[in-house]
Amino acid sequence: MTLTSTSPETVPGSARAHERPVLDPATGAVIATVPDSTLAEVDEAVRTARAAFDGGPWPTLTRSARARLLLRAADAIEDAAERLFRLETRNNGRPITETRAQLSRVPEWFRYNAGLLAAQRDAVLPGDGPYLTYQRRAPLGVCGIITPFNHPLLILARSLSAALATGNTVVVKPSETTPLSTLALLEILREAGVPDGVVNVVTGGRDVGEALTHHPDIAKITLTGGTEAGRAAAVATAARFARVTAELGGKTPVVVFDDVDPRAAAEGAAFAAFVAAGQSCVAGSRFLVQRGIHDAFVEALAARATAIRIGDPSDPATQLGPLVNAVARDRVLRMIGVGVAEGARVAAGGGAPELPAPLCDGFYVQPTVLTDATNDMRAAQEEIFGPVAVVVPFDDEDDAVAKANDNRFGLGAGLWTRDVARAHRVADRITAGMVWVNDHHRLEPSLPWGGVKESGTGRDAGTESFDDFTWVKTVVVRTAADDADWYGSAAPGRLN
C-alpha cells in the first residue's frame, strides 16, 4: 500500500490517480493523501492474504517461532513509539499526552497474545471406553479488521495481535480519516520480519469496508464503528456463516451516588466525558446523579469542564483537542442545540471556542455540560460522540438502575460510590459489557472488551478474542487392541 505525503512525519510513498486527502483536524489542513482502493484492489488484497495463508510460512510456523516474531514486533513498535505518537496525534487530533499514554500500551497486546500462544494447551476430553479424545485449534484463514478513527492503533492492535498469534492472515481497512498510523505500523511489522502477504491494508471509504465484509474468502470480520455499520457487517457475514466481532455505539451511563464527595466524583468522572474529546464508544456521556448531590455535582463538573485547556494537540499543555472533522463538529453542535430545545440548560461550554490561527480553522467544540435534563431526551439517549455530558437526576438505587438500563446501547457503565456492597450489587444489575467503579475507561490486554444490545457482539482482547480467531477440531482415537467390527459377532453394542 502506498501513501503520498506532504509532511515529513507521515509515511512516504508514491502518487496514484485516485487519492483521498487526509486532514489535520487541528487546522483543517491537508497533511497527506492515501489511495482510494478499488474493489479490484480489495479482492487482490484478500487473494494475497489467502495465498499467504494457504502456501506461506505463517500458519505453519511453530508456536514458539510465531511468538518470538510477535515479541520482536512489539519491540519494534516500542522503538518507533515517538514517531507513532506524533503521527496519530496529527491525524486524529487527540492531545499528545493522551496519545502517548494510550499508544505506549500497544506493544502489550502483542506480548500478551504471544504469551497466550506460547502457553496454549490442547484439551483432552473425558469419555467412556477405549478412546483418547482431544481438541486442536486451527486458524480461521483470512480475517478482515475494520478500525475507526478515534483510536486507530490501539483498536487495531487488540484484534491484529490475536489474529496473527493464532496463525491467521489479515486485511486491514482503517478509517478513511485516520489511516496514517496504520500504514506506518504495516512497515514496522514488515521490518520486524512478518512475512509478505500476512498483513495487508486497503484504504478508502464505506464501499471498501463493504467489499471486505462481503468477500467470500473472509472468514471473520472484526469491526469497531457505528451500529448500522455493525448490523450490515453481521448480515453480510451471516450469509456465508463467517464470524463477526462488532464493537459498536454506546451511551454510557455514569451513576453517581450521594455517598461520595460530589466535587471529587465530578473531577474524577470528567475524564469519562472529555477524554479523546468525547470521541469514544464508552465515553461517559450520561451522568445519572442522586438528587441529594445533583446540584453540587453539576457545579463541580461545569467548573472542571470550563478549566480544561483547549488548543494545539501537539502541545503537551493541551488537555482537549479537536473533533476529527467538520462533519463531526457540526453534528455535536447540532445535538447540543437539540438538547437545549428539549429543555436542557447549558451549564458549561455549548459552542465552538475562539482560537488563534491556524487553530481557528480546526474542528473544536468546548467541553459541554447539559443539566436540567431527563433520561428520555434525545441528548440523553442518542450517541453524540463529542465532549458533551448530559446530567440526569435519580432518586434511589432502583431508579438509578432503571435509568441506566433504559437505553438501546449496552457497551460500558460507570459507578461512583463508597459503599462496597452497593458497588457490586449495582454493577451486577446494569446491562453493559463493562462496568467501572470509581474510575472509567481502564483496560488491559487480558480484559474482554465488548457490549450487549445494540453495542455489538463478541469480544476483543482476553482469551475470548484469542480463541475466537480459531476453530476447534475434535479428534477421537480408538486405543483398544482389538478391531472395531460393528457388524461382526462381537458388535460393540453402544453407538452413542
Side-chain angles (χ1 to χ4, degrees):
M1 183 54 62
T2 59
L3 174 68
T4 302
S5 171
T6 59
S7 164
E9 292 184 350
T10 58
V11 184
S14 58
R16 52 174 278 168
H18 304 288
E19 294 177 333
R20 179 183 294 266
V22 178
L23 304 183
D24 176 352
T27 65
V30 175
I31 56 173
T33 58
V34 295
D36 240 342
S37 299
T38 64
L39 301 188
E41 288 170 328
V42 174
D43 184 61
E44 175 63 23
V46 175
R47 285 192 286 111
T48 298
R50 181 82 235 182
F53 182 80
D54 290 339
W58 189 251
T60 57
L61 281 178
T62 63
R63 291 181 183 180
S64 59
R66 202 156 61 237
R68 283 196 304 271
L69 209 154
L70 288 173
L71 294 174
R72 193 155 64 242
D75 292 342
I77 294 168
E78 209 161 58
D79 291 342
E82 192 60 37
R83 177 187 171 216
L84 293 173
F85 298 157
R86 293 197 310 271
L87 189 61
E88 190 152 296
T89 283
R90 193 169 188 200
N91 196 181
N92 76 352
R94 192 167 184 179
I96 190 69
T97 51
E98 290 184 14
T99 303
R100 279 199 176 99
Q102 185 180 81
L103 296 196
S104 64
R105 304 201 62 192
V106 165
E108 293 179 30
W109 265 261
F110 286 85
R111 290 171 180 143
Y112 172 77
N113 281 289
L116 288 183
L117 176 61
Q120 186 183 35
R121 301 175 70 178
D122 294 324
V124 175
L125 307 179
D128 294 332
Y131 298 97
L132 172 65
T133 305
Y134 61 91
Q135 289 183 329
R136 301 294 302 271
R137 286 191 174 271
L140 299 176
V142 183
C143 299
I145 301 176
I146 301 175
T147 58
F149 69 81
N150 53 346
H151 313 299
L153 269 192
L154 182 69
I155 288 176
L156 174 58
R158 285 194 324 219
S159 297
L160 180 62
S161 57
L164 294 181
T166 47
N168 298 280
T169 57
V170 176
V171 179
V172 179
K173 191 273 177 190
S175 166
E176 62 270 29
T177 55
T178 57
L180 301 186
S181 56
T182 297
L183 291 165
L185 180 64
L186 178 64
E187 297 305 317
I188 292 169
L189 295 178
R190 284 175 176 165
E191 292 169 4
V194 175
D196 289 344
V198 172
V199 181
N200 308 271
V201 178
V202 291
T203 53
R206 178 180 298 180
D207 58 332
V208 176
E210 289 177 348
L212 195 58
T213 59
H214 284 84
H215 200 287
D217 278 341
I218 293 291
K220 175 179 177 175
I221 285 287
T222 299
L223 177 146
T224 302
T227 297
E228 292 311 310
R231 184 174 286 114
V235 171
T237 51
R240 62 181 187 279
F241 301 106
R243 298 187 188 182
V244 62
T245 294
E247 184 209 320
L248 308 176
K251 190 67 178 178
T252 297
V254 178
V255 182
V256 184
F257 287 97
D258 63 6
D259 60 354
V260 300
D261 178 340
R263 182 169 298 277
E267 292 175 350
F271 171 81
F274 304 128
V275 68
Q279 296 174 116
S280 174
C281 295
V282 293
S285 54
R286 190 164 52 111
F287 286 86
L288 307 176
V289 183
Q290 201 155 14
R291 289 189 188 277
I293 62 168
H294 174 273
D295 292 350
F297 179 90
V298 169
E299 181 182 357
L301 184 62
R304 174 59 77 195
T306 302
I308 289 175
R309 294 187 296 274
I310 306 171
D312 181 354
S314 65
D315 183 349
T318 294
Q319 295 176 317
L320 186 132
L323 298 183
V324 72
N325 55 32
V327 172
R329 177 200 59 199
D330 295 346
R331 183 192 65 246
V332 171
L333 292 174
R334 185 169 59 252
M335 285 302 299
I336 293 172
V338 167
V340 172
E342 290 177 309
R345 176 176 62 85
V346 176
E354 294 185 5
L355 297 170
L359 303 181
C360 58
D361 294 321
F363 312 121
Y364 291 86
V365 173
Q366 294 169 320
T368 298
V369 178
L370 296 179
T371 187
D372 297 341
T374 59
N375 202 51
D376 59 348
M377 290 180 175
R378 283 184 61 194
Q381 287 290 316
E382 297 180 17
E383 187 173 37
I384 297 176
F385 226 64
V388 181
V390 180
V391 185
V392 176
F394 71 85
D395 295 316
D396 54 23
E397 187 174 305
D398 287 340
D399 188 33
V401 171
K403 284 183 166 71
N405 289 338
D406 182 20
N407 192 266
R408 64 192 178 98
F409 297 112
L411 186 57
L415 301 176
W416 288 79
T417 180
R418 291 301 172 190
D419 185 329
V420 174
R422 170 185 278 163
H424 290 293
R425 189 169 61 243
V426 174
D428 191 54
R429 295 177 67 191
I430 288 180
T431 306
M434 299 163 287
V435 180
W436 294 278
V437 178
N438 299 328
D439 210 329
H440 203 86
H441 207 160
R442 302 300 172 179
L443 71 163
E444 299 289 339
S446 59
L447 304 184
W449 185 279
V452 294
K453 299 195 284 189
E454 292 195 24
S455 288
T457 183
R459 292 296 181 267
D460 264 333
T463 57
E464 288 81 357
S465 175
F466 183 90
D467 289 345
D468 200 52
F469 278 102
T470 65
W471 59 278
V472 174
K473 177 188 296 183
T474 300
V475 181
V476 181
V477 180
R478 189 172 188 272
T479 59
D482 60 318
D483 295 330
D485 184 3
W486 178 267
Y487 296 104
S489 58
R494 182 173 182 267
L495 185 60
N496 291 318

